[in-house]
């Protein structure tokens, strides 16, 4: 008689498989209910195991929560770090914004966990600490950019916090609305960060270089057989060249604007100096006139005294 084998669907999980199952279940529950709203009993019941199994793998709810948060933080940091490896600062900014939005789109549960303040007992950081960690990487990029443009690189940490905070808060908003699409949201984020309010592009778009990056590209569309690959490559190259020309022209225009502002400031300073000197001359003339009037008054007083002397003797 052959031994009866257990059906494959009900076979016993290995320790590693059980651990991964508990992590995935806990990730979903923490995303829906948060740390305080999730219990060991619920994790165990969903996994169809006893509570001691959860304790055996993680030591408690805090342990599994710490593992879930750490995995999500590392995943997001890896995506952001990869985006910051681009050469051009604009491309870095575009890819970093797209990386965050891609993470939100593909790992919504993980992002919901991260944006909650981590429980003190879990030993993990908060979303603010994650933002600070990302900002520290952006800080190096901005410091180099500031130095090349003649700005004070010591301001880079402050600007890094501003920039990353803007992107992160937009990501929190987009987590629920999901409109417009991530590429359009990223384009508008970069538009504000790169151009500022005074130079907003009314119809921003992501550069071809960023759009075609393997880690951020959307699923490929069916190839149009009527357009050869080489022709498509040339089309992409021409579009990128046009985009770079626009960037160079924008930078030149900004440089001209800065030079014009500097010229106007110098002229204003010169005018102010001239007015100050003129005012000083007026004060000096007034002082001379005052002294002259005082001398004349003194002489007049002496003359008055000398004139009154003989009259007294005649009386």
């Amino acid at each position: 008689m052959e031994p009866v084998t257990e059906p494959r669907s009900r076979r016993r999980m290995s320790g590693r498989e059980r651990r991964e199952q508990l992590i995935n279940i806990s990730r979903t529950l923490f995303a829906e209910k948060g740390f305080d709203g999730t219990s060991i009993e619920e994790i165990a019941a969903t996994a169809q195991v006893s509570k001691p199994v959860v304790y055996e793998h993680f030591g408690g709810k805090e342990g599994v929560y710490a593992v879930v948060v750490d995995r999500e933080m590392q995943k997001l940091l890896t995506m952001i770090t990869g985006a910051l490896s681009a050469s051009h600062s604009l491309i870095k900014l575009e890819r970093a914004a797209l990386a965050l939005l891609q993470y939100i789109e593909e790992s919504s549960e993980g992002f919901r966990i991260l944006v909650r303040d981590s429980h003190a007992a879990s030993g993990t950081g908060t979303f603010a600490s994650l933002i600070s960690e990302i900002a520290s990487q952006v800080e190096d990029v901005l410091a180099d950019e500031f130095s090349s443009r003649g700005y004070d690189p010591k301001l880079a940490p402050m600007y890094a916090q501003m920039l990353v905070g803007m992107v992160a808060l937009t990501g929190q908003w987009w987590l629920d609305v999901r409109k417009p699409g991530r590429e359009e949201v990223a384009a508008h984020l970069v538009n504000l960060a790169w151009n500022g309010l005074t130079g907003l592009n009314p119809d921003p778009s992501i550069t071809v270089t960023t759009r075609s990056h393997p880690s951020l590209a959307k699923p490929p569309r069916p190839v149009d057989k009527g357009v050869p690959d080489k022709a498509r490559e040339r089309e992409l190259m021409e579009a990128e060249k046009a985009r770079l020309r626009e960037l160079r022209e924008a930078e030149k225009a900004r440089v001209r604007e800065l030079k014009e502002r500097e010229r106007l400031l110098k002229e204003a300073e010169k005018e102010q100096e001239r007015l100050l000197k003129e005012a000083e001359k007026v004060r000096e003339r007034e002082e001379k006139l005052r002294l002259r009037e005082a001398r004349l008054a003194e002489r007049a007083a002496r003359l008055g005294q000398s004139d009154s002397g003989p009259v007294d003797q005649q009386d």
Side-chain angles (χ1 to χ4, degrees):
M1 182 176 179
E2 295 181 359
V4 178
T5 58
E6 187 176 5
R8 182 176 180 83
S9 60
R10 297 180 59 188
R11 70 179 177 82
R12 183 181 180 84
M13 287 187 178
S14 67
R16 184 174 181 178
E17 289 173 332
R18 179 66 72 190
R19 178 181 174 86
E20 288 300 315
Q21 180 206 29
L22 292 172
I23 290 173
N24 291 331
I25 288 173
S26 300
R27 180 176 182 266
T28 299
L29 291 173
F30 287 139
E32 292 176 356
K33 303 182 178 183
F35 179 86
D36 292 327
T38 303
S39 65
I40 285 290
E41 289 82 356
E42 191 172 8
I43 295 173
T46 306
Q48 297 182 347
V49 298
S50 61
K51 290 193 296 182
V53 174
V54 182
Y55 287 117
E56 178 184 350
H57 282 279
F58 302 103
K61 185 172 68 170
E62 292 81 4
V64 65
Y65 185 79
V67 171
V68 170
V69 171
D70 183 67
R71 282 192 176 189
E72 296 304 323
M73 289 180 70
Q74 291 306 317
K75 181 178 180 180
L76 179 54
L77 280 173
T78 299
M79 294 177 70
I80 297 294
T81 303
L84 294 175
S85 62
S87 57
H88 195 282
S89 297
L90 176 61
I91 305 301
K92 289 179 182 178
L93 188 57
E94 287 182 341
R95 289 184 183 175
L98 273 175
L100 175 62
L101 296 174
Q102 180 181 358
Y103 170 78
I104 293 172
E105 193 169 55
E106 297 175 356
S107 304
S108 298
E109 289 183 346
F111 189 71
R112 289 186 189 279
I113 294 171
L114 290 181
V115 295
R116 301 175 187 269
D117 282 339
S118 300
H119 195 271
S122 69
T124 61
T126 62
F127 187 59
S129 67
L130 174 65
I131 294 302
S132 294
E133 192 167 346
I134 296 174
S136 67
Q137 299 184 44
V138 176
E139 175 185 327
D140 296 333
V141 176
L142 290 181
D144 294 339
E145 188 71 17
F146 279 20
S147 298
S148 66
R149 292 174 179 268
Y151 301 148
D152 187 357
K154 293 180 181 178
L155 297 175
M158 179 177 67
Y159 276 86
Q161 291 286 342
M162 294 176 183
L163 184 60
V164 175
M166 177 181 73
V167 176
L169 286 175
T170 304
Q172 286 184 261
W173 165 79
W174 189 72
L175 174 64
D176 295 318
V177 297
R178 297 299 177 92
K179 290 182 180 181
R182 76 183 186 204
E183 202 170 277
E184 187 175 348
V185 173
H188 284 281
L189 273 169
V190 174
N191 188 26
L192 176 59
W194 189 260
N195 297 320
L197 287 172
T198 58
L200 281 179
N201 183 345
D203 188 22
S205 61
I206 296 297
T207 58
V208 175
T209 301
T210 294
R211 188 180 296 114
S212 59
H213 192 264
S215 66
L216 299 172
K218 294 181 178 179
R221 294 178 296 179
V223 177
D224 185 357
K225 295 182 180 180
V227 182
D229 291 341
K230 290 185 179 179
R232 186 175 297 276
E233 289 179 5
R234 286 197 298 271
E235 180 184 343
L236 291 174
M237 289 177 64
E238 290 300 322
E240 179 60 11
K241 287 179 181 179
R243 175 67 173 171
L244 292 176
R245 282 196 299 270
E246 290 178 3
L247 291 174
R248 285 194 292 268
E249 289 300 321
E251 289 182 357
K252 288 179 181 178
R254 184 157 296 183
V255 170
R256 288 194 297 269
E257 181 182 352
L258 289 174
K259 288 182 177 179
E260 180 64 17
R261 288 181 183 176
E262 290 176 358
R263 185 184 67 79
L264 293 174
L265 284 173
K266 287 180 180 178
E267 290 182 357
E269 289 174 354
K270 289 181 179 178
E271 180 64 15
Q272 187 175 14
E273 289 179 3
R274 187 186 68 77
L275 291 174
L276 288 174
K277 290 179 179 179
E278 186 66 27
E280 183 64 24
K281 290 179 180 178
V282 170
R283 283 195 294 270
E284 290 177 356
R285 288 197 295 269
E286 289 178 349
E287 181 64 18
K288 290 178 180 179
L289 288 173
R290 189 185 64 79
L291 293 175
R292 184 177 179 184
E293 289 174 354
R295 288 196 296 269
L296 289 173
E298 185 180 351
R299 289 172 58 187
R302 286 200 300 269
L303 288 173
Q305 291 177 358
S306 62
D307 292 340
S308 61
V311 175
D312 293 338
Q313 290 176 2
Q314 292 175 1
D315 293 341

